[in-house]
Amino acid sequence: MAAPNLLIIIPLLLQLFLVVLGNNITLNSPLSTNENDAWLSPSGDFAFGFRQLNGSSGNVFMAAIWYNKIPDKTIVWNANADNPSPKGSQLQLTSKGFMITTPNGESTYIPEQNTSISYGAMLDTGNLILVGSGSTTVWESFKHPTDTLLPNQSLELGDKLSSRLTETNYTRGRFQLHFDGSVSVLLSVLAWPSEFRYKSYYSINNFDSASRIVFDESGDIYVETTNGTRIGFHGPKWINLTPDPKVNYYRITIDVSGVLTQYSYPRSSSDQQGWSIMRYVPGDICTAILMDKDDLGTGTCGYNSVCSMENQRPTCTCPHGYSLVDPSNQFGGCQPNFTLVCGADIVARQEEIFELTPMGNINFPFGDYERIQPFSRQDCQKSCLQDCMCAVAIIGGGTEGNICWKKRLPFINGRVEIGAQSVYIKTRVTPLSNLVDAGANKGVPESNKEDRMNTTLLGSLIGSAVINGILLTMLVLVILLKPKKIVLQATSLLDTGLHSFTYESLEKATRGFIEEIGRGSFGIVYKGTLESGSYDAVAVKKLDRLEQEREKEFKAELSAIGRTCHKNLVRLIGYCDEGTHRLLVYEFMSNGSLADILFGKQKPIWNLRVEFALGIARGLVYLHQECETPIIHCDIKPQNVLIDEDFTAKISDFGLAKLLLSGQSRTKTMIRGTRGYVAPEWFRNIPVTVKVDVYSFGVMLLEIICCRRSVVLIELGEEEEEEREILTDWAYDCYAEGRIEALVENEKEAIANIGRLQEWIKIAMWCIQENHEMRPTMGMVLQMLEGFVQVPDLPSPFLFT
């Protein structure tokens, strides 16, 4: 009878043991985002519940475990960072696991278990467990770590830690620690957002008997072999310590920079002193990543950035003429504040538009596309200035320091480095909008410029008197002749250089507004003909909504377009602001809209569609990155892209544009745009960025490729029932199944360029990624479209809306 009694007693003792160490979480007990409550461990050291995501304005939450007794409530584990919960959601334990229910009734499990759950417990170790029948632990957070290890936690073979994306974004980031049986411990860069690992930048090698990584209760970490041998981590900044868990809290985290760091925090502290760095590997992350010219990926700071070590942490800065892609994330890389183009948008010589700025004590050791030797400093600089591909020139090396290296965008693994080389960054010296008359100087030798300037000055002095006399004579004639009406007036209410028209003149120009050629946001567009001026045919947009809304839209469109000047933007000629009349006068686009061409009876040829996509991308890059005030268009779609007589695509209709303040990257506004092209963040009541235009461009890029609308109505059966076919879903299915030819209906011209077709579909998929931070910028999109930057492979599964 002893054995049966023992079988009964052991589960009871185990259950009692769990009750002592952890607070039980009973089935169906709820937590809400609206209440400041959580499930605590017995000591109160750890808590589990909802945590608000930083920057979410109180509207987005994730389920997490955090240190509860310290002021900053450091998160050590999270469950749903990729799919956060809106305000008003509830979390409760069910027999299938923890269930999150949103205010609209949608439910998800974290995790969903096949084994029936009896209860849960938050333990004093920071481990969250789920217990099934017979008091058996069926799931625990320690077995599913995110970016942090806690004392008493271990990693088994195949386990991994992944850094978060940014300090405030807890989705999986660019760095990973993984435990491999043959190599033991590896720190690697990921080909983010996929999970493909590049070559490791830190390792503990060749211990075939390694069984697990242990972070023991005393606060020490090591690799444990099958025979019990302990193998410690190594590195110049990984020193031997004697931790005391009674005095300090400890954690080990793979930081957003890729550094694996052990931190401590005094248990008795109640101030905001923060976590102290104890030790870390590698010692210098700036030089540890990309030690070989054949390595792929980028350094800790991202593309086009410079890394340096300060106060035991990597610091990232942007070169002259560059700025952070995301101002809130120093590790997200830098982007140029201008566009390097090869003849498409410029009429002047490269050396008249760009200059080389010296950068001291930095280096970009890899990624050269040309090495010229021997070459003088002046020849190297001149070669880079005249080469539209060249973004950086480096001069030095060799016995005489006469090697010239040239690099194109993006340049990688920039680092602070004291050396004999000289680094020059190419930046734009002349804004694109100021190059209208640059063609007059094209081809003039540098040696003739001073003579030309002297001649010009002398000529201007002689000619000014003549011109003034002519102007005076013309003024007298104008006064004497007294014309009945002047169509063009020189006044400009917004100092934009626009012409002010009278309502009467525009009514006459459009013959009473009888020839409608289109409808845009808040207005109808009519064709007209001016009696004077440099334009003949024009498009006149007559705003026709309620006065308050009309006035707001009118001012927005004038402000957005009045100061823009780009080959791929429709030019605004002038306006009418007379009484209750609000009208805009544009250049006339003789070939209608992109929608007319794409969805007409005859499909446009592939090469023409390629030019359309590139032109639209260049226009958006200008709006997002090159305007004095960045502009979010908010309604990118084929109907708002017009085609001129030379079949140049031009973005139009800025009536919905949302201007950003200087230095601002996010804005909050009401939902704007057109169904089918609207990014998902519009519906989440969170600040939007220029990435909403990237999303819309991705949808439109698929329409350009396929010549199909984003949402297609299909008739089924005799009753002509309608079914909606979503282009983005169909395109992804075709790509995943290896039948991309179906997207272009086996069009010979497109199939002949199958490489570009495949890459462009991937680009479109990245643009429509649900998480806006995973979408590329339009600058990066343009570089990928032009083939200057490799398009990352799509991970599986790939999440988009």
Side-chain angles (χ1 to χ4, degrees):
M1 295 297 291
N5 289 337
L6 188 59
L7 293 175
I8 296 173
I9 293 173
I10 289 177
L12 294 176
L13 290 175
L14 179 60
Q15 185 171 357
L16 179 63
F17 178 73
L18 291 174
V19 170
V20 171
L21 290 184
N23 280 355
N24 280 5
I25 303 169
T26 59
L27 294 182
N28 300 320
S29 53
L31 293 178
S32 172
T33 62
N34 298 327
E35 301 172 10
N36 189 22
D37 56 2
W39 289 307
L40 304 181
S41 65
S43 66
D45 283 345
F46 293 95
F48 170 62
F50 280 118
R51 282 294 300 274
Q52 178 183 332
L53 290 177
N54 293 339
S56 66
S57 303
N59 295 316
V60 182
F61 297 78
M62 67 179 180
I65 299 171
W66 62 89
Y67 277 101
N68 189 54
K69 286 186 176 180
I70 62 177
D72 65 0
K73 311 294 183 184
T74 304
I75 294 174
V76 298
W77 181 86
N78 71 82
N80 63 325
D82 290 332
N83 185 27
S85 305
K87 186 176 182 179
S89 298
Q90 279 199 339
L91 172 68
Q92 63 181 5
L93 179 62
T94 72
S95 60
K96 293 183 178 181
F98 289 106
M99 182 177 69
I100 295 179
T101 305
T102 64
N104 61 9
E106 297 179 356
S107 297
T108 56
Y109 287 90
I110 52 161
E112 184 173 5
Q113 296 293 312
N114 295 325
T115 304
S116 179
I117 306 300
S118 299
Y119 62 91
M122 183 70 252
L123 307 185
D124 266 338
T125 58
N127 191 17
L128 176 68
I129 66 172
L130 295 179
V131 181
S133 58
S135 298
T136 302
T137 300
V138 298
W139 182 89
E140 54 184 305
S141 61
F142 269 17
K143 298 296 184 183
H144 303 274
T146 49
D147 67 340
T148 298
L149 286 177
L150 296 174
N152 291 295
Q153 189 172 2
S154 62
L155 292 180
E156 308 297 330
L157 289 177
D159 287 349
K160 58 192 176 185
L161 292 183
S162 296
S163 69
R164 67 183 72 160
L165 187 59
T166 70
E167 292 292 349
T168 57
N169 186 333
Y170 287 79
T171 57
R172 179 179 54 80
R174 297 189 298 122
F175 302 95
Q176 188 180 91
L177 179 149
H178 55 105
F179 183 42
D180 186 288
S182 60
V183 190
S184 292
V185 181
L186 292 171
L187 287 174
S188 299
V189 182
L190 296 179
W192 189 90
S194 74
E195 292 200 31
F196 177 76
R197 291 192 290 261
Y198 294 132
K199 192 173 72 175
S200 63
Y201 56 90
Y202 176 84
S203 62
I204 300 178
N205 294 314
N206 300 324
F207 300 108
D208 294 333
S209 59
S211 62
R212 60 177 182 159
I213 301 173
V214 178
F215 188 21
D216 65 24
E217 61 182 2
S218 70
D220 197 14
I221 185 171
Y222 47 84
V223 177
E224 185 177 81
T225 66
T226 52
N227 62 8
T229 302
R230 297 182 178 185
I231 303 167
F233 284 51
H234 56 82
K237 300 298 182 179
W238 192 270
I239 58 178
N240 293 324
L241 298 171
T242 306
D244 187 349
K246 294 182 180 179
V247 177
N248 299 309
Y249 293 115
Y250 298 109
R251 65 180 173 94
I252 290 178
T253 299
I254 181 168
D255 297 327
V256 297
S257 62
V259 180
L260 186 70
T261 307
Q262 183 170 358
Y263 295 92
S264 67
Y265 198 110
R267 287 179 176 266
S268 60
S269 176
S270 59
D271 58 22
Q272 296 283 357
Q273 70 176 51
W275 290 86
S276 298
I277 297 172
M278 298 173 61
R279 49 189 179 178
Y280 56 92
V281 290
D284 184 352
I285 189 71
C286 298
T287 58
I289 298 179
L290 292 176
M291 293 298 294
D292 189 282
K293 64 182 179 63
D294 295 323
D295 288 352
L296 299 175
T298 182
T300 184
C301 289
Y303 292 114
N304 307 326
S305 188
V306 178
C307 180
S308 62
M309 293 296 294
E310 298 179 11
N311 299 321
Q312 303 187 84
R313 296 290 87 179
T315 298
C316 305
T317 56
C318 295
H320 173 72
Y322 288 68
S323 59
L324 290 172
V325 175
D326 181 355
S328 65
N329 177 24
Q330 67 162 316
F331 299 102
C334 303
Q335 60 187 351
N337 300 328
F338 55 92
T339 300
L340 288 173
V341 292
C342 289
D345 297 317
I346 58 176
V347 293
R349 294 184 301 164
Q350 290 277 327
E351 55 266 43
E352 294 176 352
I353 305 170
F354 300 103
E355 64 182 351
L356 292 178
T357 302
M359 300 288 290
N361 297 326
I362 68 168
N363 191 21
F364 300 97
F366 308 122
D368 310 303
Y369 72 89
E370 195 166 72
R371 169 177 172 164
I372 311 173
Q373 182 183 7
F375 221 46
S376 69
R377 181 183 306 271
Q378 292 74 20
D379 288 339
C380 185
Q381 292 173 325
K382 183 177 180 181
S383 177
C384 185
L385 277 176
Q386 294 176 347
D387 183 352
C388 65
M389 298 291 183
C390 182
V392 175
I394 298 182
I395 306 157
T399 57
E400 300 180 6
N402 59 0
I403 303 176
C404 174
W405 290 277
K406 294 199 297 185
K407 303 174 185 295
R408 63 168 63 92
L409 290 173
F411 36 89
I412 59 175
N413 204 33
R415 60 185 75 169
V416 172
E417 186 175 291
I418 308 299
Q421 74 279 344
S422 299
V423 178
Y424 294 88
I425 305 291
K426 181 188 281 187
T427 57
R428 189 187 292 277
V429 66
T430 305
L432 194 62
S433 57
N434 292 348
L435 295 174
V436 178
D437 298 322
N441 299 326
K442 188 173 182 180
V444 179
E446 191 73 23
S447 61
N448 293 340
K449 286 187 177 179
E450 185 175 350
D451 293 339
R452 184 190 61 190
M453 289 176 64
N454 292 333
T455 303
T456 302
L457 179 60
L458 180 60
S460 64
L461 291 175
I462 296 173
S464 61
V466 177
I467 294 172
N468 288 336
I470 294 173
L471 291 176
L472 182 60
T473 302
M474 291 178 63
L475 179 60
V476 172
L477 290 173
V478 168
I479 295 173
L480 292 175
L481 292 176
K482 294 182 180 180
K484 294 182 179 180
K485 65 179 72 175
I486 299 176
V487 177
L488 296 179
Q489 300 178 7
T491 57
S492 178
L493 296 179
L494 299 181
D495 191 27
T496 60
L498 302 176
H499 294 292
S500 175
F501 293 89
T502 64
Y503 181 78
E504 181 183 0
S505 66
L506 293 182
E507 186 176 36
K508 182 177 180 180
T510 59
R511 295 180 297 166
F513 303 103
I514 61 172
E515 187 178 352
E516 180 181 329
I517 57 175
R519 291 176 179 259
S521 60
F522 292 82
I524 303 174
V525 184
Y526 301 91
K527 184 177 180 179
T529 304
L530 297 180
E531 293 181 354
S532 62
S534 58
Y535 297 89
D536 294 324
V538 292
V540 180
K541 180 177 178 182
K542 187 178 183 183
L543 304 180
D544 61 353
R545 296 293 178 88
L546 297 177
E547 185 168 350
Q548 180 180 1
E549 190 173 13
R550 180 172 59 204
E551 182 73 19
K552 179 180 178 182
E553 209 61 33
F554 177 75
K555 297 297 184 183
E557 191 142 359
L558 276 184
S559 299
I561 301 183
R563 293 181 175 89
T564 59
C565 180
H566 192 272
K567 176 181 178 180
N568 297 110
L569 299 182
V570 173
R571 182 172 181 180
L572 179 64
I573 301 169
Y575 60 92
C576 172
D577 184 13
E578 183 180 295
T580 60
H581 300 301
R582 302 292 182 270
L583 300 95
L584 300 170
V585 182
Y586 299 94
E587 62 175 314
F588 180 71
M589 307 292 284
S590 59
N591 279 312
S593 73
L594 178 63
D596 298 332
I597 294 177
L598 287 182
F599 311 133
K601 293 182 179 180
Q602 185 174 358
K603 179 189 292 188
I605 63 173
W606 170 252
N607 287 338
L608 181 59
R609 305 204 306 270
V610 167
E611 290 303 315
F612 287 159
L614 291 173
I616 298 164
R618 292 185 184 116
L620 285 173
V621 170
Y622 174 85
L623 291 178
H624 292 179
Q625 298 175 203
E626 296 187 355
C627 288
E628 179 181 354
T629 303
I631 299 172
I632 305 177
H633 186 284
C634 298
D635 198 20
I636 293 296
K637 60 182 178 180
Q639 291 80 2
N640 285 341
V641 175
L642 302 182
I643 312 299
D644 70 6
E645 60 182 0
D646 297 320
F647 286 93
T648 300
K650 299 190 177 187
I651 299 171
S652 70
D653 203 339
F654 288 71
L656 294 178
K658 177 70 177 181
L659 295 181
L660 295 176
L661 299 176
S662 178
Q664 182 182 1
S665 63
R666 297 169 180 265
T667 183
K668 294 189 71 174
T669 184
M670 62 182 227
I671 294 178
R672 298 170 178 236
T674 302
R675 184 177 181 183
Y677 304 90
V678 177
E681 54 264 34
W682 282 115
F683 303 100
R684 295 174 181 164
N685 194 26
I686 61 176
V688 299
T689 69
V690 291
K691 294 295 185 69
V692 298
D693 285 348
V694 176
Y695 181 94
S696 302
F697 177 81
V699 176
M700 189 167 62
L701 180 58
L702 288 176
E703 292 182 315
I704 292 172
I705 292 171
C706 305
C707 291
R708 296 183 58 173
R709 298 183 186 274
S710 60
V711 179
V712 181
L713 292 178
I714 302 176
E715 295 182 355
L716 299 175
E718 296 180 356
E719 298 181 0
E720 296 187 350
E721 297 179 358
E722 291 182 342
E723 176 182 302
R724 292 185 180 271
E725 181 175 292
I726 308 301
L727 176 60
T728 53
D729 295 343
W730 178 61
Y732 178 75
D733 291 341
C734 289
Y735 175 83
E737 296 165 7
R739 50 185 184 93
I740 60 175
E741 295 86 353
L743 294 174
V744 292
E745 298 178 334
N746 293 309
E747 182 181 352
K748 291 183 179 180
E749 196 176 19
I751 299 303
N753 203 352
I754 192 71
R756 167 175 272 176
L757 174 62
Q758 185 171 12
E759 294 295 279
W760 280 28
I761 294 170
K762 289 161 60 178
I763 294 169
M765 293 300 165
W766 284 124
C767 290
I768 61 174
Q769 171 64 258
E770 182 174 2
N771 183 347
H772 72 276
E773 295 199 16
M774 295 180 69
R775 297 175 210 149
T777 63
M778 278 310 305
M780 186 60 68
V781 169
L782 179 58
Q783 292 185 47
M784 291 191 291
L785 290 172
E786 292 177 331
F788 295 146
V789 174
Q790 184 177 358
V791 184
D793 290 333
L794 303 179
S796 181
F798 189 72
L799 301 178
F800 61 90
T801 55

